[in-house]
Amino acid sequence: MELCFRSLFRVTISTILLFFLVSCFSFTSTDAYDALDPNGNITIKWDVISWTPDGYVAVVTIFNFQQYRHIQAPGWTLGWTWAKKEVIWTMMGGQTTEQGDCSRFKGNIPHCCKKDPTVVDLLPGTPYNQQIANCCKGGVINSWAQDPSNAASSFQISVGAAGTTNKTVRVPKNFTLKAPGPGYTCGPAKIVKPTKFVTQDGRRVTQAMMTWNVTCTYSQFLAQKTPTCCVSLSSFYNDTIVPCPTCTCGCQNNITQPGSCVDPDSPYLASVVSDRGKTNSLAPLVQCTSHMCPIRVHWHVKLNYKEYWRVKVTITNFNYRMNYTQWNLVVQHPNFDNLTQLFSFNYKPLNPYQNINDTAMLWGVKFYNDLLMQAGPLGNVQSELLFRKDKSTFTFEKGWAFPRRIYFNGDNCVMPPPDAYPYLPNAGLRKIISLVMLTITLLLSVAFHFACV
């Protein structure tokens, strides 16, 4: 009996361990997958365009093939490790953050001698003789769906102490991409067919000597330990306003973590805001709220018509350290296939499930509300959406009118629990209330009649 029990115990422990390992493996292999943008990635293309006596000249281009996730200020940072003892003689359209030890060179000094250089984009206003196409935007790259013409960034690099033929060149390794913080994981460089270039007149085609690609994918779990946005809900048919869940992005704790948030009525608020440009910290400094999130998205079911219904969407910035330029919102709701009119936002349907049109990308109108200001009176943007009802699916019951999920700037926002959604008043409850009101009215009428008599 004891022997059987021990065998059963060992089998149970082994099964639990196996399940745990499989679960961990499944999580780590899929944490960078985005169901709403399954093919989204950042591709780094490295084109060798000419050979030099001791190396080559290459154009490196960072393509953002993500539908709605962009790289905002202070921009991208690209790093790698050389396979041999290569150096960077010169650069255009970008620069390394450190030169490294170049003491072994006499005369001409390379731009960078580090084994693991780190490259950043040049700023707008760079002299023209230091620019190339698609450079000098401060590292800002827009998303593919929002602005494809500005969804790439390039720089030119002259590499020395390297191979001078396709057989002797060694591709760099250990690529890293920060945009601007962590979140991206890059695979190894893969040699592909040389890129072909068409001249402006379209009459001649040239090609690179050699080309390799690096693919980087994003994971919100790697980007930050806590969420960055939350969703609150309300409706015309219920007085309840469902707030963001408490402590969604953190909890107020000025005792053990002083300065974790700022009270909008604090006398020190002006000094905190004025010091915003003096710090290089990417950590948000948020207004003290119950949810402590930098961004809150509020979805309000506003009006109900015979054939239409209307929603108001408000995005509020609680971050004193960030102005969100070129922001965007991705919303999933089954009625987006019948979106009739949109006010003051741009709209583009996303079809991650091919023929099912239930996902929309929204962003601001240029020079009007494409800039979401820092926390304060101007730190919000809003719009209204008008939907046509589909009689076969439309209902206000069971939270159907509220979104399934919302992304802000590519990060998934935390929704309230479904059981907290504003509910439709019960028909039976309305009948009871009507009977009570009728009874009270009759009693008051009788009392008034006897009082007059």
Side-chain angles (χ1 to χ4, degrees):
M1 183 71 179
E2 184 179 353
L3 182 61
C4 293
F5 178 77
R6 288 181 179 178
S7 300
L8 180 62
F9 179 76
R10 289 172 183 171
V11 171
T12 305
I13 293 297
S14 300
T15 304
I16 293 173
L17 288 173
L18 179 62
F19 177 78
F20 176 75
L21 290 173
V22 170
S23 301
C24 290
F25 176 77
S26 300
F27 176 79
T28 55
S29 62
T30 60
D31 60 356
Y33 177 77
D34 188 347
L36 299 186
D37 189 13
N39 300 315
N41 67 75
I42 288 183
T43 298
I44 303 165
K45 183 180 288 290
W46 196 298
D47 292 312
V48 177
I49 57 175
S50 64
W51 302 110
T52 61
D54 69 336
Y56 58 86
V57 175
V59 173
V60 181
T61 305
I62 304 172
F63 292 99
N64 185 8
F65 292 124
Q66 299 173 112
Q67 292 291 319
Y68 46 79
R69 187 173 293 110
H70 62 271
I71 299 176
Q72 59 190 11
W76 56 263
T77 301
L78 180 64
W80 64 84
T81 302
W82 291 117
K84 298 191 291 186
K85 296 182 178 180
E86 293 91 338
V87 297
I88 301 175
W89 283 112
T90 59
M91 290 188 68
M92 292 180 63
Q95 64 182 3
T96 59
T97 56
E98 295 183 45
Q99 183 183 34
D101 183 9
C102 296
S103 58
R104 63 190 174 97
F105 290 90
K106 312 296 181 184
N108 291 336
I109 304 299
H111 177 83
C112 179
C113 301
K114 286 180 67 68
K115 178 75 173 177
D116 53 347
T118 299
V119 176
V120 295
D121 195 12
L122 296 181
L123 298 174
T126 297
Y128 289 110
N129 61 352
Q130 299 177 26
Q131 295 187 25
I132 66 167
N134 290 323
C135 86
C136 313
K137 295 178 284 189
V140 175
I141 305 179
N142 289 338
S143 61
W144 188 259
Q146 191 169 352
D147 189 2
S149 62
N150 288 304
S153 182
S154 302
F155 61 87
Q156 182 175 297
I157 184 172
S158 178
V159 182
T164 56
T165 67
N166 290 21
K167 294 182 178 180
T168 57
V169 167
R170 296 291 179 266
V171 299
K173 53 187 180 180
N174 300 331
F175 279 85
T176 60
L177 177 67
K178 294 183 178 181
Y184 286 91
T185 302
C186 299
K190 295 183 179 180
I191 298 176
V192 296
K193 291 182 179 180
T195 303
K196 294 186 177 181
F197 307 97
V198 182
T199 57
Q200 290 185 353
D201 58 10
R203 302 177 63 185
R204 176 175 166 79
V205 177
T206 60
Q207 74 175 39
M209 306 295 175
M210 188 178 182
T211 298
W212 56 82
N213 287 346
V214 178
T215 301
C216 303
T217 55
Y218 179 83
S219 169
Q220 187 172 346
F221 299 104
L222 296 177
Q224 58 270 324
K225 296 180 180 179
T226 59
T228 57
C229 58
C230 63
V231 180
S232 57
L233 308 170
S234 63
S235 67
F236 70 90
Y237 54 77
N238 193 311
D239 293 335
T240 302
I241 298 177
V242 180
C244 290
T246 303
C247 294
T248 300
C249 304
C251 294
Q252 295 186 37
N253 196 355
N254 281 328
I255 298 176
T256 59
Q257 294 179 340
S260 59
C261 66
V262 179
D263 190 329
D265 298 324
S266 169
Y268 305 105
L269 179 61
S271 63
V272 171
V273 175
S274 63
D275 290 341
R276 181 175 61 89
K278 300 178 183 179
T279 177
N280 294 323
S281 175
L282 298 177
L285 179 62
V286 298
Q287 179 178 315
C288 293
T289 60
S290 61
H291 53 79
M292 293 291 286
C293 288
I295 293 293
R296 183 191 66 195
V297 181
H298 185 75
W299 180 279
H300 175 64
V301 181
K302 186 176 181 180
L303 291 170
N304 182 32
Y305 307 105
K306 182 178 180 181
E307 296 184 356
Y308 301 90
W309 62 293
R310 184 186 291 259
V311 169
K312 182 177 181 179
V313 178
T314 305
I315 308 171
T316 305
N317 184 5
F318 292 99
N319 188 357
Y320 288 104
R321 283 183 178 156
M322 178 68 74
N323 292 329
Y324 293 91
T325 59
Q326 297 293 323
W327 61 267
N328 65 62
L329 199 69
V330 174
V331 184
Q332 190 175 35
H333 190 281
N335 214 160
F336 270 114
D337 58 349
N338 281 327
L339 179 64
T340 303
Q341 193 170 4
L342 182 72
F343 304 90
S344 71
F345 280 3
N346 288 310
Y347 160 76
K348 181 175 182 178
L350 301 177
N351 299 317
Y353 311 114
Q354 296 182 352
N355 296 329
I356 302 176
N357 180 17
D358 67 347
T359 308
M361 178 176 172
L362 313 174
W363 68 95
V365 178
K366 194 171 184 179
F367 304 125
Y368 177 61
N369 58 359
D370 60 336
L371 174 63
L372 177 56
M373 297 292 290
Q374 67 187 37
L378 302 177
N380 68 86
V381 292
Q382 54 190 357
S383 178
E384 295 192 3
L385 294 76
L386 186 66
F387 296 97
R388 175 183 285 273
K389 295 179 181 178
D390 184 344
K391 295 182 180 179
S392 63
T393 59
F394 176 81
T395 179
F396 281 132
E397 295 181 355
K398 300 179 181 179
W400 185 91
F402 299 106
R404 306 305 182 258
R405 74 175 86 182
I406 290 181
Y407 285 28
F408 178 81
N409 277 359
D411 284 339
N412 197 1
C413 299
V414 177
M415 300 283 295
D419 60 352
Y421 284 16
Y423 58 85
L424 195 63
N426 187 281
L429 181 62
R430 287 201 301 268
K431 290 180 181 178
I432 293 173
I433 293 174
S434 298
L435 289 173
V436 170
M437 293 299 296
L438 179 61
T439 303
I440 293 174
T441 302
L442 288 173
L443 290 174
L444 288 174
S445 299
V446 171
F448 180 75
H449 174 73
F450 282 106
C452 292
V453 173

